[in-house]
Amino acid sequence: MPIVLKNVTKSYPDSAKPAVDSLDLEIPAGEIVVLVGPSGCGKTTTMRMINRLIEPTSGSITIDGEDVLSLNDVKLRRTIGYVIQQVGLFPHLTIAQNVALVPKMLKHPKDQITARVDEMLDLVGLEPNTYRGRFPRQLSGGQQQRVGVARALAADPPIMLMDEPFGAVDPITRSRLQDEFLSLQEDLGKTIVFVTHDFDEAIKMGDRIAILREGSAIAQYGTPEEILANPADDFVEGFIGRGATLKRLALERLSEIDLRPASEAGENPSTISIKATLSDVLDTMLSDGEDCLAVVRRGQPVGAISLDDLLSRVRELREESRSNADDAQETPA
Ligand code: ADP
Ligand code: MG
C-alpha cells in the first residue's frame, strides 16, 4: 500500500521551528524507503504522524488513498506494524503474550493466535518451544529485537514502520538482523518505512533513501546507487562520508555482471558465491591472497572474476561520478 505525505508540518507547542516542515514524500507499495538524517531532524515525528500517534499541524497523510485520520483504530492496527528501538516489550508478559497483543486486540480466534505466534517466532529465528514461555528479561538484546519484529508482523499488516529497530544491539548482531530482515522482506513484500541515522544501514536496507536535514527537509530522494553516484550537494556528500566507491562495490552483485569463463580461475581456486557483492570479492581476494576467484552457484563453478576486472569496474564508477559532478557544475544556478 503506498503512503503519501503532502505538505506535512508538525509544530510542537513552545518551539520556534517546526519539527517537520512542509514535507512531501511518496512511499511506493512493496518497497523499503529509508529515512536517514541527523538526530533531531524529525524522523520519529514523521513516523508517529504516519501511525497517527500524533496529528500533523497541517497537511495530509494517506495510505492507499485513505486519510490516516479517517481510519478507525482496528483498521489502523491491521494496516500498520510498528517497531521501535526501545522494543517496548511488556516485561510482565511472556514472549508469546507480547507477540499475541495485536491479534488479540483484533479479536482473532484463540487457536489461530497460538499458531500465528509460533509461526512468527519461527520466522524471526526463535525456536517457539524454547522461547514462547520466557519473559523479555530472559532474552538478549538481539533476541528482544527479533520479538519486536515478530510482534509487528503478527497481524500481517501490509505496512511496517521501523524506527531505528536495530539501533540498540552490537554491530555483528545488527548486521545479522539486517540480513535476516532483508531475506524476510523478499517473501513478504511489505511497504516499509525504515528510520536510521546510519548511512551505511540506509544503503544496505533501502530500495530508496530520503536523506533529511533539519525540519525533515529532503536533501535527496533516490536509490542508493543514484545517491552514491550523484550526491545532490555538500550536505549529502558529508553524509555519505568517505569511500563512496567502496560503498558502490557493496551494492553490485556478481549475478549482475559479466564473468570470465570458469576455466580462467586456474587449478584449485578460491571460490565465491554468485550471490556475493563486489566488495565481498575484494575481501576474499585480500584475505586469501588470490587475484582470481572461481564464482560458484550451489557449489558448481559458473565463471571467474579477477582483480583486474574489479579495478576496471572501480575506474568506471569513478569516471561516472566525475562526469556527474562535471554536469552539476555546468548546470547554471
Ligand atoms: P529524530 O527522530 O530525527 O531524532 P524527532 O522527530 O524525535 O527527531 O525530533 C524532532 C524535533 O522535535 C527535535 O528538535 C525534538 O527536540 C522535537 N520534539 C520531538 N518530540 C517532541 C515533543 N513531544 N515535544 C516537543 N518537542 C519535541
Ligand atoms: Mg528518532
Side-chain angles (χ1 to χ4, degrees):
M1 287 187 176
I3 307 170
V4 179
L5 290 84
K6 277 202 188 123
N7 205 13
V8 171
T9 294
K10 174 67 193 181
S11 304
Y12 289 109
D14 303 325
S15 44
K17 285 186 191 163
V20 173
D21 194 357
S22 323
L23 174 63
D24 283 304
L25 183 67
E26 293 201 25
I27 293 139
E31 288 195 11
I32 303 184
V33 169
V34 177
L35 309 183
V36 61
S39 177
C41 74
K43 305 182 295 294
T44 295
T45 301
T46 301
M47 295 288 248
R48 291 172 66 85
M49 286 191 287
I50 298 173
N51 208 10
R52 219 183 57 196
L53 292 166
I54 52 179
E55 261 192 50
T57 309
S58 61
S60 77
I61 301 175
T62 59
I63 291 176
D64 215 14
E66 269 190 89
D67 194 318
V68 293
L69 297 178
S70 73
L71 301 177
N72 65 34
D73 285 351
V74 169
K75 179 104 187 261
L76 194 72
R77 290 195 191 281
R78 256 195 219 127
T79 308
I80 301 179
Y82 195 31
V83 190
I84 54 172
Q85 176 177 343
Q86 301 78 6
V87 193
L89 300 180
F90 291 98
H92 58 284
L93 298 182
T94 63
I95 298 308
Q97 288 167 332
N98 268 287
V99 176
L101 278 176
V102 175
K104 232 173 161 173
M105 256 181 260
L106 296 174
K107 303 195 170 29
H108 292 183
K110 212 169 165 192
D111 50 340
Q112 197 184 312
I113 294 179
T114 310
R116 183 73 183 165
V117 166
D118 284 2
E119 188 190 340
M120 289 301 103
L121 289 178
D122 233 358
L123 195 68
V124 298
L126 296 171
E127 212 284 305
N129 287 327
T130 312
Y131 290 99
R132 73 165 84 80
R134 290 201 187 173
F135 290 91
R137 70 183 135 76
Q138 298 170 306
L139 269 59
S140 71
Q143 290 169 335
Q144 292 187 31
Q145 297 284 356
R146 288 193 167 90
V147 176
V149 172
R151 182 175 61 180
L153 287 169
D156 199 19
I159 291 171
M160 294 271 282
L161 305 180
M162 306 179 79
D163 193 347
E164 310 212 19
F166 310 136
V169 295
D170 63 88
I172 293 172
T173 307
R174 182 183 316 152
S175 165
R176 191 176 309 144
L177 291 172
Q178 290 166 343
D179 290 336
E180 288 171 7
F181 189 75
L182 285 173
S183 74
L184 265 184
Q185 166 67 358
E186 275 185 27
D187 297 331
L188 299 175
K190 307 261 181 209
T191 305
I192 297 170
V193 190
F194 189 107
V195 160
T196 179
H197 59 264
D198 174 358
F199 186 72
D200 290 320
E201 179 163 71
I203 55 178
K204 179 167 178 185
M205 301 304 289
D207 294 308
R208 255 168 243 270
I209 300 175
I211 299 185
L212 305 177
R213 52 175 120 222
E214 207 186 324
S216 280
I218 296 180
Q220 191 166 6
Y221 187 36
T223 64
E225 290 82 358
E226 283 163 4
I227 290 171
L228 286 170
N230 200 1
D233 58 20
D234 289 350
F235 177 83
V236 175
E237 263 182 42
F239 222 83
I240 293 172
R242 285 162 180 270
T245 307
L246 209 53
K247 288 172 192 182
R248 293 181 71 187
L249 290 183
L251 293 172
E252 294 205 14
R253 297 198 174 269
L254 284 170
S255 51
E256 294 158 1
I257 65 169
D258 292 332
L259 300 171
R260 291 167 184 268
S263 58
E264 293 195 26
E267 298 278 308
N268 297 320
S270 288
T271 62
I272 188 152
S273 160
I274 184 96
K275 287 185 184 165
T277 66
L278 296 192
S279 100
D280 298 329
V281 169
L282 186 60
D283 277 348
T284 305
M285 285 180 176
L286 290 174
S287 64
D288 293 3
E290 297 284 348
D291 60 9
C292 194
L293 305 178
V295 179
V296 296
R297 178 184 282 126
R298 293 193 201 95
Q300 295 304 309
V302 293
I305 182 160
S306 73
L307 187 57
D308 279 342
D309 300 337
L310 209 55
L311 288 176
S312 53
R313 187 64 191 132
V314 166
R315 275 184 219 109
E316 282 170 18
L317 292 174
R318 286 239 167 99
E319 201 46 51
E320 198 184 310
S321 296
R322 206 169 298 136
S323 77
N324 283 334
D326 289 349
D327 288 352
Q329 286 204 330
E330 278 164 24
T331 312

